Amino acid sequence: MSDNKHSNHVILATHNNLRYERSLPIQWGAKDPLKRGPVVASITDPKSRNAIGTHSGSYTVYRALSIASGQFASQHRPDLQNTESPVKIGPFPQWHDPKKIVSLDPWGLDPQTNFGPLYKKGYDIRPTIAVTQAHLQIPEIHDALRAGRLKPDGKIVKENMDIFVTKVAIDPVWYLPGIAEKLKVEEGELRRILFQETGGMYPELITRPDLKVMLPPIGSSTAYIFGNAKDLANPKVELTCRVHDECNGSDVFGSDICTCRPYLMYGIEDAARTAQRGGVGIIVYYRKEGRALGEVTKFLVYNARKRQKGGDTAANYFLRTECVAGVEDARFQEFMPDCLHLFGIQKIHNLHSMSNMKYDAIVGSGIKVVNRISIPAELIPADAQVEMEAKKAAGYFTPEKKKSKQALKKVKGRNIAE
Ligand SMILES: [Zn+2]
């Protein structure tokens, strides 16, 4: 055994003697944080746990590997001194509605402040949200400055072309009854399917129906705020927002088969411009790669699109995804607005998204949307015309006229070898 002394004794939360011993009840949506109760998902004290799963989303598995290799002491408790948010966020009325936010824990922001007395009693409560500030250096923003579309103001856009932002990392925390309700499924059925489809990863989904909160091993979300974060909750302040689902190939590597990076960069430019004229901007980045089907599926679909008879056309865009993946889109947008409710958002003046699923989810969650902004035509890469025209034909928001079926066949991408 290593110096880190990880115990060989496996403790399942299903053991009867662990029930309720030190675990605090969670009253989801309660106004007072101490009444709401902290989500205790750390594993240093199994008797205090009141949630299924543990912290850090998908990185929980890397943590396990690090512990297994002897690098990481499993009993380590974070020293949270000086880690608190540099700006005040919340509480907002949305935090107190058990049906409004179901996929993150607003009280997971600065728990050392919200649950101070419980730390003194030895509870190992971990943050699930963290806020910090940064400068962004982005080539497209530099282009916008050179073209005069943006001007430095010394505050939002610095003289050296940096953009000042507040960024917020948000780990997933699911309130299972609320998740089930949004999916329109019985909670028991949801728990059974989650258990089965992860290969039996969390037995407590079945054996501990009293545990209502789960920290799923999935990717997090990140919000980038341009301007004053507290203005997000003020419906009178102009708000520009983009809700962006991860597309690593385009976002990071500049792959030209889709419009993800150009649309994201345009969102950042417009968010900064809004903040400069006294408004506020927010970009929320969700780790839902390839419509939440993942990159392997996505690349298979690209090949199938390019090799099909007649080539890669807008007419067959969605069909090919469905053939490979079994569904054309595995994202479920009903929880997406949770990240907006975290900041108390009530009204979005400029929504950068062409997706009706996203628009419907945002409006359905009680947020007003004034304008919908589609990507400017000149920012669409040539090979991405296939995706863009297919989406517009399928009813994605656009101020333009839809193309006919015949015309869609003519919108073609490159061949596989090109
Ligand atoms: Zn993309």
Side-chain angles (χ1 to χ4, degrees), residues 115-277:
F115 303 108
L118 295 171
Y119 282 86
K120 291 190 188 97
K121 288 185 181 164
Y123 285 95
D124 182 7
I125 306 161
R126 307 273 174 107
T128 54
I129 297 176
V131 186
T132 191
Q133 288 172 320
H135 283 203
L136 308 182
Q137 299 181 330
I138 300 175
E140 285 89 337
I141 294 299
H142 297 176
D143 293 345
L145 280 151
R146 283 187 205 104
R149 298 199 303 272
L150 265 181
K151 288 187 177 60
D153 64 295
K155 213 174 142 207
I156 310 286
V157 182
K158 307 284 184 189
E159 292 300 331
N160 69 352
M161 305 205 272
D162 285 6
I163 296 193
F164 179 78
V165 288
T166 301
K167 50 184 188 176
V168 184
I170 306 160
D171 271 346
V173 179
W174 287 1
Y175 178 57
L176 292 169
I179 297 277
E181 201 177 319
K182 297 217 175 186
L183 287 165
K184 298 188 176 68
V185 64
E186 290 287 318
E187 185 194 333
E189 181 74 349
L190 169 69
R191 296 172 80 111
R192 183 184 65 75
I193 295 171
L194 275 172
F195 175 69
Q196 281 181 341
E197 295 299 318
T198 54
M201 202 163 185
Y202 296 103
E204 294 93 337
L205 282 166
I206 306 299
T207 60
R208 292 291 305 271
D210 58 305
L211 295 177
K212 298 294 186 193
V213 172
M214 177 188 192
L215 281 67
I218 60 172
S220 55
S221 307
T222 316
Y224 282 77
I225 300 164
F226 304 76
N228 199 332
K230 80 170 176 9
D231 288 339
L232 291 167
N234 183 349
K236 293 195 181 98
V237 175
E238 184 188 7
L239 169 55
T240 292
C241 168
R242 169 150 180 84
V243 281
H244 185 95
D245 289 333
E246 175 176 33
C247 173
N248 186 266
S250 170
D251 295 344
V252 179
F253 289 95
S255 174
D256 72 343
I257 196 168
C258 55
T259 54
C260 300
R261 181 174 170 105
Y263 208 174
L264 177 62
M265 295 306 140
Y266 182 62
I268 291 173
E269 179 185 326
D270 209 26
R273 212 169 13 241
T274 308
Q276 287 188 319
R277 59 175 179 253

Side-chain angles (χ1 to χ4, degrees), residues 49-71:
R49 283 168 54 80
N50 60 7
I52 301 167
T54 187
H55 290 279
S56 309
S58 54
Y59 299 104
T60 187
V61 180
Y62 286 106
R63 183 175 172 276
L65 293 185
S66 179
I67 288 169
S69 74
Q71 309 282 315

Side-chain angles (χ1 to χ4, degrees), residues 291 293 297 301 316-329:
R291 299 195 204 127
L293 295 163
T297 298
V301 171
N316 285 330
Y317 172 81
F318 284 109
L319 180 70
R320 289 270 67 86
T321 309
E322 199 166 338
C323 288
V324 177
V327 65
E328 75 179 43
D329 195 327

Side-chain angles (χ1 to χ4, degrees), residues 365-386:
S365 79
I367 295 172
K368 289 194 181 73
V369 173
V370 183
N371 300 309
R372 296 175 73 181
I373 316 283
S374 53
I375 184 171
E378 65 273 19
L379 295 181
I380 303 171
D383 205 45
Q385 291 293 347
V386 175

